[in-house]
Amino acid sequence: MPPSPRVELITTGEELLIGLTANSHLSTIGDRLARRGVRLQRNIVVPDDAESIGAQFRESWSRADIVITTGGLGPTSDDRTREVIAEALGQRLVFDGEAEAAIRRRFEAIGRKMTPNNLRQAYRPEHGAIIRNPHGTAPGIWVEQDGKVLIMLPGPPNELIPMLEDEVIPRLAARGLLGSGPRHVQIRTAGLGESALETMLEPVFASYPGVEVAYCAHLGCVDVRLSSPDGRYSPTELQIIANHCRERLGGDFVCFGEDSLVKLIADHLRLRNQSLAVAESCTGGLLSNAFTDFSGASKLFRGAVVCYCNDCKVQLLGIPECLIKQHGAVSAEVAAAMAAGVAEHLEADYGLAITGYAGPCCREVRNRAGTVYIGLHTPHGIWSRKVNYPGSRDAVKQRAVNAALDWLRRELVRASSPEALPAPSVPETDPAREEALRLLGIKKK
Amino acid sequence: MPPSPRVELITTGEELLIGLTANSHLSTIGDRLARRGVRLQRNIVVPDDAESIGAQFRESWSRADIVITTGGLGPTSDDRTREVIAEALGQRLVFDGEAEAAIRRRFEAIGRKMTPNNLRQAYRPEHGAIIRNPHGTAPGIWVEQDGKVLIMLPGPPNELIPMLEDEVIPRLAARGLLGSGPRHVQIRTAGLGESALETMLEPVFASYPGVEVAYCAHLGCVDVRLSSPDGRYSPTELQIIANHCRERLGGDFVCFGEDSLVKLIADHLRLRNQSLAVAESCTGGLLSNAFTDFSGASKLFRGAVVCYCNDCKVQLLGIPECLIKQHGAVSAEVAAAMAAGVAEHLEADYGLAITGYAGPCCREVRNRAGTVYIGLHTPHGIWSRKVNYPGSRDAVKQRAVNAALDWLRRELVRASSPEALPAPSVPETDPAREEALRLLGIKKK
């Protein structure tokens, strides 16, 4: 296979630079290329004006093998990308009859009247070709010149994504510009910070000089990517190195690849035909929502109760009022009782609960912000543990959700292979262990 | 005020270029600068390698007045931004004792063991200064050289955002590099698409030649920004034009500025000492979570029930099984009953409910994907309405939540000033109106 082509993405749009909308083009295009073994080398976001677009295009075109632009192909007078880039390439714009027919058909199909400025979209550089747009009026443009490829795509994601997947990726592959899959091995881990993870894996990598290691923390996991830019290690050898890492990581190993904690939990539950219910307070629905982000969730996720007041805990989960009075709504005891209560009420095998202080709300609890208890009800027992997170309200919520998911994942892994991971999921050194063990004695109502 | 400085943002991170995470740094920094009257001129996303970072930094530094970099300040060996940029500036890296002390304090505070590689984060360019990071170990770096400013910030958003708001923006303002506030007036609307909104406001803008109008759709709202780049209209005059727009918009006007639908709902409820409870199925906790994203939510938000199975609707909300059997779980009747049931069980004044099909899960309901019913219980009655959205699972979930929030907002506005907005919130032309009116007769259990 030839060396990876250098790909640059130019995104135009004022709304991105003033923070009004997220740059989804970068995520989408970067992802689709990475899946085919090509790494996007650069993304540049520039304003909509002709000068910025022209200057950036000339720079990227001089450096890259493939340049992709998004946006600026609309019908209004401020959509100038087409004109500016044709000029930079030294090509005239010509009217494309086929594009015109497609635009007219599109307007007929959606029953809207075409205005004359829409026909601006039928122009393309003279040596370029049209990329069909089945979901909008602006066709894309494909130009090959100077041994390079230019791909111009419209901005709306519902138009861009199908064009990328159905036209652009296959055309690039046909020209031998894409690989068949990723050229790295990714190890997903949970439970260790980035630097602790590096310290733990250091001895493995010391035995394999030249292997490239990249760390990336996100969504409660830290990913480790192994690659061999100089080709010293084959994909099979990289996988062997990754297997060594896995052994060292023990329960902190989540998976190879991209699966989320929720996906892995769902796979475990589905395999065993078991179900889950959730009770949460400070995380407000975030834990519950994690389980409904994929289709088919309703087979294993029964539902959730978001208790934002103590009455709610009492009324919907049947938690004794005296338990809340004695220990407080944010306590190991109430977390365990919430997990057991929601599992019982919704007839689920597993119950996962979070209660805590996400952020400052009133004077009394300000110094307790970030204190969170997680409760876990399983067919084998009930536990709870305390965690504590610094940071903003959003950060505390997200980290509490991640911790709860990771705990449930570890329990499910342990339950499916008790001999492989005999250690209890609450480690010996954890100060919450004694409390948790004591809570093991809690009787299910 | 001097002409706007040219600001470029360099974002480093493999994870952005392969589409693993969204580039939130661009949105955050672009937004915070725009609010202070400065427009980010360019954002460049480059891989983590030293060569890419160095080349891009030299290019941006030669062109811009202010360069901001994010990421690459972590403790691991692939975090190279600090070294590469110091070299490009011709500065040595020196060990900063104060930064070291802060890092040690940080580890103590979170009760984790510091590994030696964490002390790499205490290095800074010799003529630079440290930017405190109260939420993480990596301090930021501030360098002034060649009449330009370099600002280096760590990647995690929960660390970056407070540093940006509490340190960077004030320091830039103190040097006269920012304006005192936005130079535009923003009108937030809901319920109209971008082009319908443009058509509705056209007559207003026709009377004020030269006013610049930008539309931006996001989070269930469409924002209209009015500005006067050539200074023809003063801020007061822009506000008067915006007031004309408000009058024309009626109930579709949400607010001037940036307030979210949830913020406005919370303000209304707080003013009247009223409370809210939520029941949802296909949105999985997303609606509930919207109400817990700000502190103080527990005063007015009582809680939520996420019903991912029919049993859950019956058991937790007391919805008669026969109602679900007769009309289906996704129906106007069940949506209304969910809203009433959750309000009653959680003793809330308002109940808001969503039931629907978010995305394809099995053959029977595939062609009903995107069908959603919203139920609303108020002290004055119970309604429900049907909406239908195209798009992905995530898109349907988000749009259903936005529609529910906007409906509740309209009801609260109407209830607080019935004479100002006498029209019913379900417009005459809405096909769901008759169904909704019929449902008005539903008795509260």
Side-chain angles (χ1 to χ4, degrees):
Chain A
M1 179 164 160
S4 260
R6 184 179 173 89
V7 190
E8 296 201 4
L9 169 65
I10 302 173
T11 321
T12 64
E14 205 55 36
E15 67 277 17
L16 300 171
L17 290 165
I18 60 173
L20 269 181
T21 49
N23 186 2
S24 70
H25 296 169
L26 168 57
S27 314
T28 307
I29 294 172
D31 171 69
R32 298 308 189 280
L33 291 175
R35 288 190 200 182
R36 299 301 296 265
V38 170
R39 191 183 282 192
L40 187 61
Q41 281 297 321
R42 194 166 299 216
N43 168 229
I44 311 99
V45 185
V46 294
D48 294 315
D49 64 282
E51 197 189 333
S52 300
I53 297 171
Q56 186 56 50
F57 174 72
R58 274 184 287 267
E59 186 192 313
S60 294
W61 187 248
S62 70
R63 195 165 47 198
D65 303 306
I66 300 172
V67 173
I68 304 174
T69 69
T70 63
L73 298 180
T76 58
S77 53
D78 63 341
D79 290 310
R80 299 269 302 144
T81 307
R82 190 186 288 101
E83 286 76 5
V84 165
I85 289 184
E87 195 191 321
L89 291 171
Q91 295 196 24
R92 284 180 314 124
L93 283 176
V94 297
F95 190 78
D96 188 299
E98 207 180 302
E100 182 203 357
I103 294 170
R104 290 192 185 279
R105 273 197 306 274
R106 174 77 191 159
F107 272 95
E108 266 167 41
I110 60 174
R112 269 175 50 199
K113 204 171 136 25
M114 197 179 81
T115 53
N117 54 7
N118 283 109
L119 285 184
R120 287 188 62 230
Q121 300 182 312
Y123 282 86
R124 61 163 170 80
E126 53 186 328
H127 305 304
I130 287 297
I131 304 173
R132 290 184 320 116
N133 179 355
H135 300 285
T137 58
I141 294 169
W142 179 285
V143 181
E144 296 184 39
Q145 181 176 316
D146 313 329
K148 296 160 186 260
V149 182
L150 162 67
I151 299 153
M152 299 173 69
L153 296 172
N158 65 321
E159 302 178 22
L160 180 146
I161 295 172
M163 292 169 79
L164 181 69
E165 292 178 344
D166 302 339
E167 299 274 346
V168 173
I169 297 289
R171 284 195 204 192
L172 289 174
R175 280 158 182 77
L177 292 167
L178 297 181
S180 57
R183 296 175 176 189
H184 59 254
V185 176
Q186 176 164 301
I187 308 163
R188 182 153 287 180
T189 76
L192 291 172
E194 224 173 307
S195 53
L197 186 62
E198 185 175 29
T199 305
M200 176 173 269
L201 295 181
E202 227 300 302
V204 177
F205 300 133
S207 320
Y208 301 100
V211 65
E212 193 171 274
V213 185
Y215 295 89
C216 172
H218 64 118
L219 298 170
C221 297
V222 180
D223 291 339
V224 189
R225 287 203 169 181
L226 310 186
S227 59
S228 177
D230 57 6
R232 193 193 303 196
Y233 299 98
S234 71
T236 316
E237 287 168 322
L238 286 176
Q239 185 59 55
I240 291 170
I241 303 172
N243 290 344
H244 283 308
C245 295
R246 176 186 185 158
E247 276 162 37
R248 251 190 108 72
L249 287 166
D252 295 333
F253 170 86
V254 174
C255 64
F256 293 122
E258 306 270 325
D259 284 349
S260 66
L261 296 175
V262 165
K263 164 84 166 56
L264 294 166
I265 291 169
D267 287 347
H268 273 286
L269 292 173
R270 202 177 287 118
L271 258 178
R272 289 187 273 167
N273 206 19
Q274 287 181 317
S275 62
L276 170 75
V278 160
E280 51 187 320
S281 66
C282 63
T283 45
L286 219 48
L287 181 62
S288 168
N289 186 54
F291 288 106
T292 65
D293 261 345
F294 54 94
S295 62
S298 56
K299 300 236 171 6
L300 48 98
F301 181 62
R302 297 191 59 77
V305 172
V306 182
C307 310
Y308 231 65
C309 57
N310 290 344
D311 298 355
C312 177
K313 292 187 177 101
V314 175
Q315 284 156 12
L316 293 179
L317 297 176
I319 295 177
E321 240 178 308
C322 61
L323 194 75
I324 298 178
K325 275 224 179 85
Q326 190 181 340
H327 300 283
V330 177
S331 62
E333 290 78 3
V334 168
M338 284 167 71
V342 80
E344 189 187 19
H345 275 75
L346 296 182
E347 293 166 16
D349 303 292
Y350 286 82
L352 189 59
I354 296 178
T355 178
Y357 301 110
C361 65
C362 48
R363 204 164 306 151
E364 312 94 80
V365 301
R366 190 161 295 162
N367 51 10
R368 281 180 278 168
T371 299
V372 174
Y373 290 88
I374 303 173
L376 177 59
H377 164 98
T378 78
H380 325 291
I382 310 169
W383 292 266
S384 74
R385 65 189 307 181
K386 183 181 179 178
V387 287
N388 206 300
Y389 298 116
S392 68
R393 189 179 182 84
D394 275 355
V396 170
K397 287 172 76 171
Q398 195 57 59
R399 294 184 70 173
V401 167
N402 293 339
L405 294 175
D406 190 42
W407 195 16
L408 175 57
R409 174 193 70 82
R410 285 169 197 256
E411 273 308 309
L412 290 167
V413 168
R414 202 158 73 89
S416 69
S417 57
E419 69 294 348
L421 278 167
S425 66
V426 182
E428 298 285 344
T429 53
D430 191 313
R433 180 172 159 73
E434 275 182 41
E435 196 171 23
L437 288 178
R438 185 172 60 77
L439 278 160
L440 263 167
I442 278 191
K443 283 222 182 62
K444 279 186 67 176
K445 284 178 289 57
Chain B
M1 179 165 159
S4 260
R6 182 176 174 92
V7 189
E8 296 202 5
L9 169 65
I10 302 174
T11 321
T12 65
E14 205 53 37
E15 66 277 17
L16 301 171
L17 289 165
I18 60 173
L20 265 184
T21 48
N23 186 3
S24 70
H25 296 171
L26 168 57
S27 314
T28 308
I29 294 172
D31 170 70
R32 298 308 189 278
L33 291 175
R35 289 191 200 182
R36 300 301 296 264
V38 170
R39 192 180 283 194
L40 187 62
Q41 281 299 319
R42 193 166 300 212
N43 168 229
I44 312 99
V45 186
V46 295
D48 295 314
D49 65 281
E51 197 189 332
S52 300
I53 298 172
Q56 186 56 51
F57 173 72
R58 274 184 287 268
E59 186 192 314
S60 293
W61 188 247
S62 71
R63 193 167 46 201
D65 304 306
I66 300 172
V67 173
I68 305 175
T69 70
T70 63
L73 298 180
T76 59
S77 53
D78 63 337
D79 290 309
R80 302 268 303 141
T81 307
R82 191 186 286 101
E83 287 77 3
V84 166
I85 289 184
E87 196 191 319
L89 291 171
Q91 294 197 23
R92 284 180 315 122
L93 282 177
V94 296
F95 190 79
D96 189 298
E98 204 180 303
E100 182 202 356
I103 294 171
R104 290 193 185 278
R105 273 198 305 274
R106 175 76 191 161
F107 272 94
E108 265 166 43
I110 60 173
R112 270 174 49 196
K113 207 174 135 18
M114 197 180 81
T115 52
N117 52 10
N118 283 107
L119 284 183
R120 289 187 60 228
Q121 301 182 313
Y123 283 87
R124 60 162 171 81
E126 55 186 326
H127 305 305
I130 287 295
I131 304 172
R132 291 185 321 114
N133 178 355
H135 301 287
T137 58
I141 294 170
W142 178 286
V143 181
E144 295 184 37
Q145 182 176 315
D146 312 330
K148 297 161 187 258
V149 181
L150 162 67
I151 299 152
M152 299 172 69
L153 296 173
N158 65 318
E159 303 177 21
L160 180 145
I161 295 171
M163 292 169 78
L164 181 68
E165 291 178 345
D166 301 339
E167 298 275 346
V168 173
I169 296 289
R171 285 196 203 192
L172 288 174
R175 279 158 183 78
L177 292 167
L178 298 180
S180 58
R183 297 176 176 187
H184 59 254
V185 175
Q186 176 165 301
I187 307 163
R188 182 153 286 181
T189 75
L192 289 172
E194 221 171 310
S195 54
L197 187 62
E198 186 171 19
T199 306
M200 176 173 267
L201 295 181
E202 227 300 300
V204 178
F205 301 133
S207 320
Y208 302 100
V211 64
E212 193 173 272
V213 185
Y215 295 89
C216 176
H218 65 120
L219 296 172
C221 297
V222 180
D223 291 339
V224 190
R225 285 194 175 183
L226 311 187
S227 59
S228 178
D230 58 6
R232 191 192 305 195
Y233 299 98
S234 71
T236 315
E237 287 167 322
L238 285 176
Q239 186 59 56
I240 291 169
I241 303 173
N243 291 343
H244 283 308
C245 294
R246 176 185 186 159
E247 276 163 36
R248 251 191 107 72
L249 286 165
D252 295 331
F253 170 86
V254 174
C255 64
F256 293 123
E258 305 270 327
D259 284 348
S260 66
L261 296 175
V262 165
K263 164 83 166 55
L264 295 166
I265 290 168
D267 288 347
H268 273 286
L269 292 174
R270 201 177 288 117
L271 258 177
R272 287 186 274 166
N273 205 22
Q274 287 180 318
S275 63
L276 171 73
V278 160
E280 51 187 320
S281 66
C282 64
T283 45
L286 218 50
L287 180 62
S288 167
N289 186 54
F291 288 106
T292 64
D293 262 347
F294 53 95
S295 63
S298 57
K299 299 235 172 6
L300 48 98
F301 181 62
R302 298 191 58 78
V305 172
V306 181
C307 309
Y308 230 65
C309 56
N310 289 344
D311 298 356
C312 179
K313 292 188 176 101
V314 175
Q315 284 156 13
L316 293 179
L317 297 176
I319 295 177
E321 240 178 308
C322 61
L323 193 74
I324 298 178
K325 275 223 179 85
Q326 192 183 339
H327 299 284
V330 177
S331 61
E333 290 79 2
V334 168
M338 284 168 70
V342 81
E344 188 185 19
H345 275 76
L346 296 183
E347 292 165 15
D349 302 292
Y350 286 82
L352 190 58
I354 297 178
T355 178
Y357 301 109
C361 65
C362 48
R363 205 164 306 153
E364 310 93 81
V365 300
R366 190 160 297 161
N367 52 11
R368 281 179 277 166
T371 299
V372 174
Y373 290 87
I374 304 172
L376 177 59
H377 164 98
T378 78
H380 325 291
I382 310 169
W383 293 266
S384 73
R385 66 189 307 184
K386 183 181 179 179
V387 289
N388 206 299
Y389 298 117
S392 69
R393 190 179 181 84
D394 276 354
V396 170
K397 287 172 76 171
Q398 196 55 63
R399 294 184 70 174
V401 167
N402 293 338
L405 294 176
D406 190 42
W407 196 14
L408 175 56
R409 174 193 70 82
R410 284 168 196 258
E411 272 308 310
L412 289 166
V413 168
R414 202 158 72 90
S416 70
S417 56
E419 69 293 349
L421 279 167
S425 64
V426 182
E428 299 284 346
T429 54
D430 192 313
R433 182 172 157 76
E434 277 183 37
E435 196 170 21
L437 288 177
R438 186 171 60 78
L439 278 158
L440 265 166
I442 278 190
K443 282 223 181 62
K444 278 187 69 175
K445 281 178 292 55

